[in-house]
Amino acid sequence: MLHDWNLTPREAIALQKELRTSIRTDLVLPEVEFIAGVDVAYVKTTGESVATICRLAYPGLELVDHAIARLRTPFPYVPGLLSFREIPPILEALRRLARPFQLLFVDGHGRAHPRRFGIASHLGLWLQQPTIGIGKSRLVGSFDEPGQTRGDRSELRDRGEVIGSVLRTRAGVKPIFVSVGYGLVLEDCVEWTLRVTPRFRLPEPIRQADRRAALNK
């Protein structure tokens, strides 16, 4: 365990600033046989979170198995502190999956975060496993609109620093925001994102997890 989860928002912010210096981007990715995606949905009526992780075979991207964990939401909604709200149920879903994968796509930002430590980075550091952050919308930073062709991209910048890539995964569809989670450099994160996004806007591992999380609310 890196830390206890029973923290105040102020303590959580301080922890993010401390842990962000531990993010690595020099891991050697082993031969990839399975890629996973994780997403969390919320049940407002019960105050619960539903975490879903889907494991897909690579390169065919067929769904192999998945696991779901439904827990009381452990942390209030505070902008920039999503990981403290979502990682505890995600860890429970991972325990229930109990099968290996080599790369994890996270529905949420990694380095593209005000303190450079979003949920994809936090989860990757906790697991000591390569993760890639995928944001459906911008959390922080500025960018020029990328071209309209699949694979077109532009830099996401904040305070003079490149914190992510704004990537067009499907022609004429809104781009997604790719950032380093843990283990891989940004260029590799973009390359892997395109590899697992053959048809739709979202990477297939996240799309599958998102669908099943919504179905189990």
Side-chain angles (χ1 to χ4, degrees):
M1 288 183 59
L2 284 175
H3 58 81
D4 183 67
W5 291 102
N6 186 24
L7 301 172
T8 66
R10 180 174 293 183
E11 290 170 335
I13 289 171
L15 184 63
Q16 287 180 326
K17 292 178 180 179
E18 175 187 342
L19 293 179
R20 67 187 177 188
T21 60
S22 299
I23 296 301
R24 297 176 57 185
T25 56
D26 61 347
L27 296 186
V28 177
L29 195 63
E31 182 179 354
V32 175
E33 295 181 284
F34 300 100
I35 295 177
V38 65
D39 187 33
V40 178
Y42 298 99
V43 185
K44 292 182 179 180
T45 54
T46 63
E48 292 176 306
S49 297
V50 181
T52 303
I53 181 165
C54 291
R55 192 173 72 119
L56 281 64
Y58 181 80
L61 302 179
E62 305 91 357
L63 179 66
V64 177
D65 51 17
H66 72 283
I68 297 170
R70 187 180 181 118
L71 303 176
R72 176 162 291 280
T73 303
F75 196 84
Y77 172 74
V78 180
L81 297 180
L82 181 69
S83 61
F84 296 90
R85 185 174 170 88
E86 294 195 349
I87 288 181
I90 287 173
L91 293 177
E92 179 58 33
L94 283 166
R95 282 190 285 269
R96 297 180 184 185
L97 184 70
R99 290 181 174 88
F101 51 84
Q102 289 75 47
L103 181 59
L104 178 62
F105 280 80
V106 182
D107 188 351
H109 297 282
R111 188 170 180 79
H113 179 276
R115 289 174 289 279
R116 310 298 185 255
F117 196 73
I119 184 172
S121 297
H122 199 161
L123 183 58
L125 180 61
W126 186 282
L127 298 174
Q128 293 290 294
Q129 190 160 3
T131 57
I132 295 174
I134 301 295
K136 299 182 184 79
S137 60
R138 177 186 59 179
L139 179 61
V140 68
S142 59
F143 64 96
D144 294 326
E145 188 74 12
Q148 293 296 318
T149 303
R150 169 181 157 81
D152 286 347
R153 56 186 284 200
S154 62
E155 293 179 340
L156 179 64
R157 288 182 165 269
D158 184 47
R159 291 171 281 176
E161 178 185 3
V162 176
I163 60 171
S165 183
V166 186
L167 178 65
R168 190 84 62 186
T169 53
R170 187 177 179 187
V173 173
K174 287 182 179 180
I176 60 173
F177 296 80
V178 181
S179 62
V180 171
Y182 183 84
L184 305 178
V185 297
L186 181 59
E187 193 65 35
D188 289 345
C189 292
V190 171
E191 181 180 338
W192 275 105
T193 298
L194 287 172
R195 288 182 184 180
V196 301
T197 316
R199 294 180 57 200
F200 300 98
R201 178 187 179 224
L202 292 178
E204 192 63 15
I206 287 180
R207 195 180 76 87
Q208 292 283 349
D210 181 76
R211 289 177 61 201
R212 279 160 178 77
L215 287 172
N216 286 276
K217 287 175 62 176

